[in-house]
Amino acid sequence: MENISIGLLGLGTVGSGVVKVIRNHQDKLVHGVGCTVHIRKILVKDPAKERSVEVDPAMVTVNPSEIIEDPSIDIIVEVMGGIEETRTLLLKALENKKHVITANKDLMALYGHDLLKAASENGCDLFYEASVAGGIPILRSVVDGFASDRIQRIIGIVNGTTNYILTKMSDEGMSYSEALKEAQELGYAEADPEADVEGTDAARKMAILSTLGFSMNVGLSDVRCKGISGISQEDIEYGQQLGYTMKLIGTAERDNDSIDVTVQPALVSVSHPLAAVKNENNAVYVYGDAVGETMFYGPGAGSLPTATAVVSDLVGVMRNMRLGVNGHSAAFPQFEKKMKTAEEVFKKYFLRLVVEDEVGALAEITALLSTEGISVEKIWQNPKRGSVSEIILVTHKVSEKSFEQTLVKLNDSRVVSRVGSSFRIEI
Ligand code: NAP
Ligand code: HSE
């Protein structure tokens, strides 16, 4: 096979890593695919910007057409981010019979189906391993490793920035804003970090994972999503006192043919391995009918870890080129999507109530919970602060619908000043 030429869209955190991995692992790449890999052109916004990697200035352009329309370029590696403009570029690249590799979960969660269809129609590969969980080869594992099994549940930590923030807040008492600033400086956060902290980035990844895992067309709007920006140091500490760690958890669960997909801050037992996943690391549990429980762990963000996933996709495309089998990589959904209702989802909950410190308050709250059919596993009253005190509860499993209705009634109750916070207890 002739030497392969690549057009790289983006030379930021991930793009610089891609240049380094291709350079440093050239021998292995040559051995694996039988030819050299050569970056021909690189698209950036600002050619004058200082880079963490040296590249020949003649290769750098601000004009995407110089790459997308260049007949000598075989593969486009998209690590620039963005949605509409990027989608147009990649569709054009596929029309021009270029294979595409992307790390862009924003794009894949919204337009993955259309792009994969375009790739298939043009006989091209479109791979996106780096879009979920950075350096962990999770998509290939879900698609190929579980090809003979039926996935029932996927649960894990799929955002490095929020895991970094929660780790620093829990272990070092660092403030939310200071921890976010560090995550940005380390290159983990998105250009607009709101996508990380409000859970949208994780929701996009869970949409991609559940589409592949359950073979249904799961979109971003199917993922019920809440972020970590409202988490207080107090919530983290109460969780710790009860033996739990706060994490931003993604869940995708299937019962019979209905599914539920969520992203939300949740408590996990300190004895569970997910509690030990620190900083920018991610971990994903996949439960198959036949295999049972499997765990995938590793760096979920950062330059070189993400670049390894991108370059592994590159090797995949090049192997297919050698075998002449490109364009068959897309696995289109097999089943109709059916989402569970809130009556069909059962979870344990942590609940913090700010109450009037008066005789009978506890009795009134437990009576209200029992009329709603909620059974309490643990209860604990915190010493008085002014005229109010706090009651912390852990419930047994209850339907999401009953729990939400109970929250409304608690907020209306004479003895409850307000519901301070509530979180699922996932594990
Ligand atoms: P980044 O550091 O902001 O880099 C983006 C690069 O793309 C920059 O080189 C920028 O040029 C270039 N670029 C952006 N918009 C452009 C435009 N309209 N025209 C030309 N060039 C443009 O971003 P990143 O962290 O590497 O992330 C890139 C992609 O990978 C995103 O989709 C992200 O979600 C995904 N991802 C990131 C990570 C991570 O850990 N960072 C992990 C997994 C996936 P200038 O340098 O000139 O500004
Ligand atoms: N901003 C993302 C994160 C990058 O923190 O997980 C990796 O997808």
Side-chain angles (χ1 to χ4, degrees):
M1 193 163 67
E2 305 246 321
N3 293 338
I4 300 296
S5 288
I6 292 163
L8 185 60
L9 310 183
L11 189 61
T13 304
V14 183
S16 309
V18 169
V19 173
K20 288 177 197 164
V21 172
I22 289 177
R23 276 184 192 159
N24 298 345
H25 298 182
Q26 189 66 229
D27 285 353
K28 184 162 185 209
L29 296 177
V30 171
H31 182 75
V33 293
C35 64
T36 55
V37 186
H38 165 76
I39 298 175
R40 185 172 286 275
K41 281 184 192 144
I42 304 175
L43 179 74
V44 297
K45 245 196 275 193
D46 175 6
K49 198 191 259 184
E50 206 175 307
R51 309 279 165 186
S52 72
V53 70
E54 243 182 71
V55 294
D56 177 356
M59 282 167 39
V60 175
T61 175
V62 292
N63 179 2
S65 302
E66 279 187 30
I67 298 179
I68 304 297
E69 304 296 343
D70 182 339
S72 72
I73 289 177
D74 310 286
I75 305 174
I76 299 295
V77 173
E78 187 274 302
V79 284
M80 65 186 243
I83 301 182
E84 295 303 336
E85 185 193 345
T86 313
R87 171 177 173 248
T88 308
L89 280 182
L90 296 189
L91 283 171
K92 187 77 203 150
L94 291 167
E95 263 174 42
N96 290 348
K97 312 291 180 211
K98 299 186 193 306
H99 307 291
V100 169
I101 291 157
T102 177
N104 191 332
K105 55 263 166 170
D106 311 26
L107 185 67
M108 289 309 292
L110 270 180
Y111 295 121
H113 185 83
D114 300 349
L115 286 163
L116 286 163
K117 194 161 161 276
S120 176
E121 286 166 0
N122 285 289
C124 293
D125 285 338
L126 167 58
F127 289 152
Y128 49 104
E129 181 63 66
S131 66
V132 179
I136 308 175
I138 187 67
L139 299 188
R140 206 162 280 128
S141 302
V142 164
V143 174
D144 296 334
F146 280 80
S148 62
D149 207 348
R150 178 178 160 92
I151 293 174
Q152 291 293 22
R153 187 175 185 220
I154 302 174
I155 171 167
I157 298 166
V158 292
N159 181 271
T161 301
T162 46
N163 202 48
Y164 187 88
I165 295 171
L166 291 174
T167 304
K168 293 289 169 187
M169 287 175 76
S170 305
D171 294 2
E172 297 171 26
M174 193 182 274
S175 72
Y176 169 87
S177 49
E178 204 183 334
L180 170 59
K181 190 164 162 273
E182 277 196 10
Q184 286 178 287
E185 284 163 6
L186 288 162
Y188 305 146
E190 296 302 303
D192 176 2
E194 195 180 317
D196 293 295
V197 297
E198 296 308 339
T200 325
D201 177 82
R204 288 169 174 145
K205 292 166 177 167
M206 291 310 296
I208 294 171
L209 269 177
S210 44
T211 294
L212 294 174
F214 300 147
S215 199
M216 291 180 193
N217 198 358
V218 182
L220 185 57
S221 58
D222 298 314
V223 186
R224 287 179 298 128
C225 166
K226 190 174 162 196
I228 67 159
S229 59
I231 300 284
S232 67
Q233 196 66 42
E234 232 175 356
D235 290 322
I236 291 175
E237 282 165 19
Y238 280 133
Q240 285 170 335
Q241 285 173 36
L242 289 166
Y244 297 109
T245 302
M246 184 76 72
K247 295 286 182 191
L248 184 71
I249 297 287
T251 63
E253 293 169 314
R254 161 154 70 181
D255 279 317
N256 301 318
D257 291 328
S258 314
I259 63 163
D260 182 52
V261 189
T262 68
V263 167
Q264 55 190 291
L267 294 168
V268 297
S269 168
V270 284
S271 60
H272 192 274
L274 276 182
V277 176
K278 306 266 184 183
N279 298 321
E280 79 279 17
N281 286 307
N282 284 187
V284 183
Y285 273 83
V286 185
Y287 299 77
D289 265 350
V291 71
E293 175 182 288
T294 61
M295 181 186 183
F296 301 83
Y297 168 83
S303 180
L304 289 175
T306 310
T308 61
V310 171
V311 180
S312 294
D313 275 351
L314 197 54
V315 171
V317 172
M318 285 156 57
R319 282 199 180 127
N320 285 350
M321 286 169 82
R322 194 170 60 179
L323 297 169
V325 293
N326 301 99
H328 303 288
S329 50
F332 292 104
Q334 185 185 355
F335 304 111
E336 273 298 304
K337 173 180 63 189
K338 191 170 157 220
M339 304 307 293
K340 283 197 208 184
T341 63
E343 282 107 328
E344 295 171 308
V345 178
F346 287 82
K347 295 286 168 180
K348 279 173 72 162
Y349 288 92
F350 163 99
L351 182 56
R352 178 165 64 87
L353 302 173
V354 182
V355 297
E356 294 302 327
D357 193 15
E358 62 181 53
V359 176
L362 190 56
E364 198 162 326
I365 288 163
T366 49
L368 193 153
L369 292 174
S370 91
T371 37
E372 293 303 314
I374 297 181
S375 154
V376 174
E377 185 187 288
K378 285 181 198 162
I379 188 160
W380 161 42
Q381 181 153 13
N382 218 20
K384 187 170 162 174
R385 275 189 299 182
S387 65
V388 292
S389 64
E390 284 179 320
I391 291 177
I392 316 296
L393 289 154
V394 173
T395 72
H396 284 290
K397 278 194 176 173
V398 49
S399 82
E400 196 163 61
K401 173 103 178 181
S402 298
F403 187 72
E404 278 162 10
Q405 283 171 350
T406 306
L407 287 183
V408 174
K409 290 185 180 164
L410 284 167
N411 262 322
D412 289 345
S413 158
R414 187 187 56 82
V415 295
V416 176
S417 302
R418 65 188 168 89
V419 174
S421 53
S422 65
F423 301 100
R424 275 186 179 184
I425 298 180
E426 276 297 348
I427 293 177

